[in-house]
Amino acid sequence: MHADTLKFSPEKFKRIAVKAGTNVLASADGTLDREAMARLVDEMAGLWKQGRDIIFVTSGAIGSGMALLGLKQRPRETVMQQACAAVGQGALMHAYEELFSKHGIRIAQVLLTNDDFTNKARYLNLMTAIDALLKVRAIPIINENDVVSTAELEHSGNGGKQAVFGDNDGLSALVAGKMHADLLILLTDVDGLYDANPKKDKGARIIRRVERITPELEAAAGDGGSLGRGGMRSKLAAAKLATCAGVWVAIANGKKEGVIEGVLEQREGTLFSPSACGLSGKEQWIAFASQSKGTVEINERARDALLKNGASLLAVGVVGVKGEFEKGEVVEIRCGAALVGRGKCNYSAKQLLSIAGKKKAEIAALLGKAEEVVDRENLVFNGND
């Protein structure tokens, strides 16, 4: 990304993604706040009428279902949360349809699971479909499909594997990055990122601009509230993902009237600058949307060749293999305990074990030909900025 694009210029933004969490859309008892929904729809409609593309990621299906089922508190059991989501999703979309139709705007429901991202063919088809909706001037309204996907509800991965996204914060960042959004606005119930917990420290001050998300900043982030699943830590993780893809990110208070306009005018929320070297679509999938199937352990010499010399990963630098994976699947690359990056491996785990530490001539004699373990163009480093 060229340096002059790092200037925040909202008048040039053509595509904006907005994510509204449960704490924005729900009342204190967990049921939907129709006034808050109407206010946000009016703001997004205003941007749409300016000719901008809008992608809307929403929570609220469970809260909607709670009201319809007469529940006063969010159920703890996953199966009951799924039941609430099943009942509430239709009502949630009906409410949005009524609100957007007042502005003459068509909407489209898009319900997603982790599998829609980990399977590359489905991932590409999904993004093609969203692009088609934007071209016909419809607003995609995206939510995780809680009826069939329990990764968000249970805070765990599928089948014991790490989930690509565990909440709608991560989901919105993945979509914003792949769809080349200019800005992702994460709406929550606080004014932005603070230097201390504002609920405990009256002297806490809001941080208006973050140029780089450091480990210290991530460690200082607190957890979420009682209604929503994604707290400030989740939003920082989403901001890190989206900024790596070259997207501006804002965290702001969705309970405030005119919050989106306030973000664009830089008087509301915390603004995160995009990385100076945004990842390509393929790199985004390798880095964030794919599930790692195993680990390739390398020595320090191989690590330095990757990080300093722009090399591909060769078998001679491999010292160990963990997990079971096939050729073409994504693996983590580690040197000791440190994560170096992720990449598409040209060998299966079994093959790689047989050639670890060997030179090309030895590999060719053993397998008939020798390839790089991970080609440079299929490698994404940890901390690309």
Side-chain angles (χ1 to χ4, degrees):
M1 182 181 298
H2 197 270
D4 62 6
T5 63
L6 294 178
K7 180 181 178 181
F8 187 68
S9 304
E11 67 277 1
K12 298 179 181 178
F13 291 171
K14 300 299 184 183
R15 183 166 292 177
I16 296 174
V18 177
K19 182 266 175 178
T22 302
N23 286 333
V24 173
L25 300 170
S27 302
D29 61 359
T31 58
L32 289 180
D33 183 343
R34 291 295 294 263
E35 290 186 6
M37 293 174 66
R39 186 173 63 249
L40 288 177
V41 166
D42 288 347
E43 287 201 65
M44 287 185 284
L47 295 176
W48 183 89
K49 291 173 183 177
Q50 294 171 7
R52 307 180 199 242
D53 292 337
I54 302 298
I55 300 171
F56 184 35
V57 179
T58 180
S59 301
I62 292 177
S64 175
M66 284 170 53
L68 294 171
L69 294 175
L71 301 178
K72 300 300 182 183
Q73 292 184 331
R74 183 186 179 105
R76 295 184 177 181
E77 302 86 357
T78 298
V79 67
M80 283 304 298
Q81 292 181 37
Q82 289 177 289
C84 287
V87 172
Q89 181 64 32
L92 178 67
M93 288 301 297
H94 180 66
Y96 281 130
E97 187 171 28
E98 287 185 337
L99 293 169
F100 276 107
S101 66
K102 294 178 181 179
H103 298 278
I105 299 173
R106 290 187 177 87
I107 62 172
Q109 175 178 261
V110 182
L111 296 177
L112 303 176
T113 69
N114 271 273
D115 290 342
D116 294 315
F117 289 87
T118 59
N119 182 297
K120 191 171 184 180
R122 288 171 63 171
Y123 174 72
L124 295 174
N125 288 336
L126 166 65
M127 299 310 166
T128 300
I130 294 176
D131 188 58
L133 290 171
L134 296 174
K135 286 179 178 177
V136 298
R137 301 291 289 148
I139 293 182
I141 298 185
I142 302 171
N143 195 1
E144 180 169 10
N145 191 345
D146 287 334
V147 179
V148 298
S149 174
T150 61
E152 175 179 350
L153 302 180
E154 296 177 341
H155 292 275
S156 65
N158 300 332
K161 298 175 182 176
Q162 182 181 4
V164 174
F165 63 88
D167 54 47
N168 277 343
D169 292 325
L171 172 58
S172 66
L174 284 167
V175 173
K178 178 58 182 174
M179 297 309 301
H180 305 292
D182 298 294
L183 171 67
L184 167 62
I185 303 175
L186 299 170
L187 297 177
T188 183
D189 60 349
V190 294
D191 288 347
L193 178 66
Y194 284 80
D195 59 4
N197 189 335
K199 296 179 180 179
K200 297 179 180 180
D201 187 346
K202 293 184 179 180
R205 294 180 299 177
I206 191 169
I207 302 170
R208 289 297 182 189
R209 183 75 173 262
V210 175
E211 298 294 342
R212 183 173 179 271
I213 300 173
T214 63
E216 293 76 18
L217 199 62
E218 293 176 285
D223 293 320
S226 59
L227 292 176
R229 290 295 181 182
M232 191 55 68
R233 185 174 296 136
S234 170
K235 286 167 181 60
L236 273 184
K240 186 174 183 180
L241 190 162
T243 54
C244 280
V247 181
W248 287 93
V249 177
I251 298 175
N253 192 337
K255 289 291 190 181
K256 286 187 172 181
E257 187 171 353
V259 62
I260 294 177
E261 181 181 358
V263 166
L264 296 177
E265 294 178 353
Q266 298 187 69
R267 55 181 171 78
E268 292 288 350
T270 299
L271 187 65
F272 297 79
S273 300
S275 168
C277 50
L279 300 178
S280 68
K282 180 175 71 173
E283 289 171 333
Q284 289 175 45
W285 184 80
I286 291 173
F288 304 117
S290 60
Q291 283 184 330
S292 174
K293 301 296 185 179
T295 301
V296 176
E297 298 172 337
I298 63 175
N299 58 31
E300 292 182 359
R301 186 173 179 180
R303 177 201 62 194
D304 291 344
L306 294 177
L307 298 179
K308 298 178 182 179
N309 302 332
S312 297
L313 178 60
L314 305 179
V316 69
V318 175
V319 298
V321 179
K322 292 182 179 179
E324 296 182 5
F325 51 87
E326 299 299 324
K327 177 179 179 179
E329 292 188 321
V330 174
V331 296
E332 288 188 345
I333 301 168
R334 290 185 174 271
C335 182
L339 176 64
V340 177
R342 286 158 60 101
K344 284 179 62 178
C345 190
N346 290 326
Y347 294 96
S348 68
K350 185 177 180 181
Q351 287 176 319
L352 190 53
L353 277 170
S354 71
I355 63 173
K358 291 181 169 58
K359 296 181 179 179
K360 282 192 172 183
E362 297 174 284
I363 298 169
L366 185 64
L367 301 179
K369 65 176 181 177
E371 295 183 276
E372 286 79 3
V373 175
V374 179
D375 294 316
R376 183 70 182 191
E377 65 261 22
N378 292 326
L379 177 61
V380 179
F381 296 111
N382 186 41
N384 286 277
D385 53 344

